[in-house]
C-alpha cells in the first residue's frame, strides 16, 4: 500500500483531471461567477439573429447572400454597396422591408443575454455587425452598443461631407439623404419602404437611405475611438455568430490580451491558450450558460418583455400612432 504522501499526490492528480474534464461552457460560467470576467466585450454577427427568423449572410443555401438572385444583383454584396444604391436602390429597399426591426422579428435569447450582462454591470461594449436593430429592441443601452450600422456622430452628406445635424442614428430607425446629407423624417422613410418604394429627399429629391453603414462608407469616429479604449479594458471577449470574414471585424479578436470565447457553429479563427470554443447555435448555448449561472428565470423574463414588439405595430392609440413608432421616438437621443 502507498503511504499518505502518495495518496495526497494521487488525490491532487484526480482533482486536476476533474478540472480538465470540465466542459468549455462550464469554464466560461466559472469565469463569470468567480468575478474573473468583469469587463466583457461582445462581438456579435448575424448568427445571433438566426433564431429570430433572420438568415445569416454566408451559410450556403440558406444565407442571405445565397438568396439574393431575385434582385438581379451584379454580386451579392451590392445590396449593401453605396455606389450601387445610387444606381439602383430598389433591391436594398425591398430587402429592408423584409428585415425592418420589430415588424416580424423580436430579440433572441442571445440578445436578451447581452442585455442581462448589461443589467449586471458586466457588459463593457457590444460590437454588432447587424442591421436588424434587435440589440436596441432588447434594451441594450446606446452607450454600450457600437454598430457598423449605429452611428453616434454628426450626420453628414457622403457626397459633399457637409455637416448638418447632431443626432444618434440607430440602425434603420433614422435616415438621411445620400446627396445633401439632410436628416429625413424617419417615419415617412419607414412608411415609404414598407410600401415597396424608394424614399426621396424632400429638399433636393436625392435618394434617402436608413443610417446604416454601407460598403464604401467610412465607419464612424466613435467606433475607432471606443475600440482603441475597449481593447485595453476588456478582460473577456465573447465572439458570437460571426464568420469573421470582413474587416475590421476580423481584426478585433487579435487586439485583446485576454481569453476569447467563440460561440459559433464552426471554428473561424486561430485558437490560442486560454481560448474556448462553444460549438452550436448561439441561443442553445446561451440557455445552457444561463442555467449554469442560475440566470434562467431572469433571461426568460427579459426576453418575454421584448416580445410585445411583434404585436406593437398592430396596436394603435387614440392618436393613431403605432406603439412601435412611439418606442422608436422614445429611444431617440
Amino acid at each position: 500500500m502507498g503511504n499518505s504522501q502518495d495518496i495526497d499526490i494521487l488525490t491532487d492528480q484526480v482533482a486536476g483531471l476533474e478540472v480538465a474534464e470540465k466542459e468549455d461552457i462550464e469554464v466560461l460560467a466559472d469565469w463569470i461567477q468567480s468575478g474573473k470576467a468583469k469587463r466583457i466585450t461582445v462581438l456579435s454577427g448575424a448568427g445571433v439573429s438566426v433564431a429570430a427568423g433572420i438568415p445569416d449572410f454566408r451559410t450556403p443555401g440558406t444565407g442571405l447572400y445565397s438568396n439574393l438572385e431575385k434582385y438581379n444583383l451584379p454580386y451579392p454584396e451590392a445590396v449593401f454597396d453605396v455606389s450601387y444604391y445610387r444606381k439602383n436602390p430598389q433591391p436594398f429597399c425591398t430587402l429592408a422591408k423584409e428585415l425592418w426591426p420589430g415588424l416580424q422579428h423580436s430579440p433572441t435569447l442571445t440578445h436578451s443575454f447581452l442585455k442581462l450582462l448589461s443589467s449586471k454591470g458586466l457588459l463593457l461594449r457590444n460590437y454588432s455587425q447587424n442591421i436588424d436593430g434587435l440589440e436596441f429592441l432588447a434594451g441594450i443601452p446606446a452607450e454600450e452598443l457600437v454598430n457598423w450600422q449605429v452611428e453616434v456622430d454628426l450626420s453628414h452628406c457622403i457626397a459633399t461631407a457637409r455637416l448638418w445635424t447632431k443626432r444618434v442614428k440607430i440602425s434603420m430607425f433614422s435616415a438621411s439623404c445620400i446627396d445633401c446629407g439632410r436628416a429625413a423624417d424617419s417615419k415617412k422613410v419607414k412608411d415609404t419602404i414598407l410600401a415597396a418604394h424608394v424614399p426621396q429627399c424632400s429638399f433636393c429629391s436625392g435618394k434617402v437611405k436608413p443610417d446604416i453603414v454601407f460598403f464604401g462608407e467610412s465607419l464612424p469616429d466613435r467606433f475607432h475611438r471606443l475600440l482603441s479604449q475597449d481593447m485595453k479594458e476588456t478582460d473577456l471577449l465573447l465572439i458570437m455568430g460571426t464568420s469573421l470574414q470582413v474587416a475590421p471585424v476580423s481584426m478585433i479578436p487579435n487586439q485583446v490580451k485576454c481569453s476569447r470565447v467563440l460561440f459559433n457553429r464552426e471554428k473561424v479563427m486561430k485558437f490560442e491558450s486560454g481560448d474556448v470554443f462553444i460549438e452550436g447555435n448561439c441561443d442553445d448555448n446561451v440557455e445552457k450558460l444561463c442555467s449554469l449561472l442560475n440566470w434562467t428565470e431572469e433571461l426568460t423574463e427579459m426576453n418575454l418583455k421584448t416580445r410585445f414588439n411583434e404585436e406593437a405595430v398592430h396596436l394603435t392609440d387614440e392618436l393613431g400612432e403605432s406603439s412601435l413608432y412611439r418606442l422608436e421616438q422614445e429611444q431617440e437621443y
Side-chain angles (χ1 to χ4, degrees):
M1 293 181 64
N3 57 35
S4 60
Q5 185 177 3
D6 292 334
I7 294 174
D8 290 340
I9 292 173
L10 181 60
T11 299
D12 290 340
Q13 290 176 339
V14 171
L17 287 173
E18 288 176 350
V19 171
E21 289 175 356
K22 274 192 174 183
E23 292 186 16
D24 288 337
I25 200 165
E26 294 176 318
V27 172
L28 174 57
D30 285 347
W31 288 345
I32 295 174
Q33 284 182 321
S34 67
K36 178 182 177 181
K38 297 178 180 178
R39 305 284 283 172
I40 301 174
T41 292
V42 179
L43 173 58
S44 56
V48 305
S49 297
V50 169
I54 300 173
D56 62 18
F57 287 96
R58 301 177 186 277
T59 299
T62 60
L64 180 63
Y65 287 156
S66 294
N67 291 280
L68 291 174
E69 293 183 3
K70 58 184 176 182
Y71 300 120
N72 297 315
L73 298 169
Y75 51 94
E77 292 85 355
V79 72
F80 297 119
D81 190 301
V82 69
S83 296
Y84 186 78
Y85 187 83
R86 289 185 180 280
K87 301 173 185 176
N88 183 13
Q90 191 61 62
F92 171 79
C93 291
T94 302
L95 179 64
K97 176 184 177 182
E98 298 176 9
L99 298 180
W100 200 275
L103 297 186
Q104 302 180 52
H105 312 290
S106 286
T108 65
L109 289 176
T110 303
H111 292 111
S112 297
F113 169 67
L114 301 187
K115 168 60 176 173
L116 196 54
L117 288 178
S118 173
S119 299
K120 293 180 179 293
L122 298 174
L123 181 65
L124 174 60
R125 209 81 61 194
N126 175 201
Y127 288 83
S128 172
Q129 305 167 67
N130 299 332
I131 67 170
D132 51 46
L134 295 184
E135 301 93 352
F136 172 66
L137 294 179
I140 298 174
E143 62 270 19
E144 294 176 5
L145 179 61
V146 176
N147 195 299
W148 277 234
Q149 291 75 38
V150 175
E151 181 176 348
V152 183
D153 205 305
L154 293 176
S155 299
H156 66 283
C157 173
I158 65 173
T160 65
R162 296 175 65 187
L163 300 178
W164 284 99
T165 177
K166 190 171 185 179
R167 63 185 297 179
V168 174
K169 301 176 178 181
I170 302 183
S171 191
M172 291 195 286
F173 292 143
S174 66
S176 55
C177 176
I178 67 171
D179 290 322
C180 76
R182 287 181 183 266
D185 184 313
S186 59
K187 187 175 188 301
K188 287 182 179 179
V189 171
K190 172 184 170 182
D191 292 343
T192 300
I193 289 178
L194 295 184
H197 299 305
V198 176
Q200 288 188 315
C201 179
S202 59
F203 295 95
C204 73
S205 298
K207 296 180 178 70
V208 169
K209 74 171 182 65
D211 289 320
I212 68 174
V213 180
F214 274 28
F215 293 117
E217 294 184 294
S218 298
L219 290 168
D221 290 341
R222 178 175 182 264
F223 168 82
H224 298 289
R225 184 176 69 255
L226 287 179
L227 182 64
S228 176
Q229 170 188 319
D230 291 346
M231 294 301 95
K232 298 174 184 176
E233 297 183 19
T234 299
D235 57 23
L236 178 65
L237 177 66
L238 303 184
I239 306 162
M240 310 184 80
T242 174
S243 62
L244 293 179
Q245 292 191 25
V246 179
V249 179
S250 56
M251 299 184 289
I252 290 179
N254 298 323
Q255 296 184 38
V256 295
K257 301 183 183 300
C258 61
S259 294
R260 306 172 300 176
V261 179
L262 175 66
F263 284 77
N264 218 36
R265 292 176 180 173
E266 59 277 323
K267 288 186 177 181
V268 292
M269 66 183 198
K270 182 179 179 180
F271 277 70
E272 301 175 357
S273 177
D275 292 341
V276 171
F277 177 44
I278 300 178
E279 184 178 5
N281 296 327
C282 290
D283 270 21
D284 292 341
N285 284 313
V286 160
E287 283 192 277
K288 293 177 184 177
L289 176 60
C290 285
S291 177
L292 292 169
L293 294 169
N294 294 317
W295 292 359
T296 299
E297 185 175 346
E298 292 175 272
L299 177 72
T300 302
E301 289 179 359
M302 194 161 285
N303 187 252
L304 286 175
K305 288 178 181 178
T306 66
R307 292 291 168 178
F308 80 94
N309 291 325
E310 293 180 344
E311 302 173 359
V313 292
H314 303 298
L315 302 175
T316 56
D317 55 23
E318 299 99 22
L319 299 176
E321 294 178 313
S322 73
S323 297
L324 178 59
Y325 178 62
R326 286 190 285 108
L327 171 66
E328 293 172 9
Q329 299 306 300
E330 289 167 4
Q331 296 293 343
E332 288 186 357
Y333 294 81

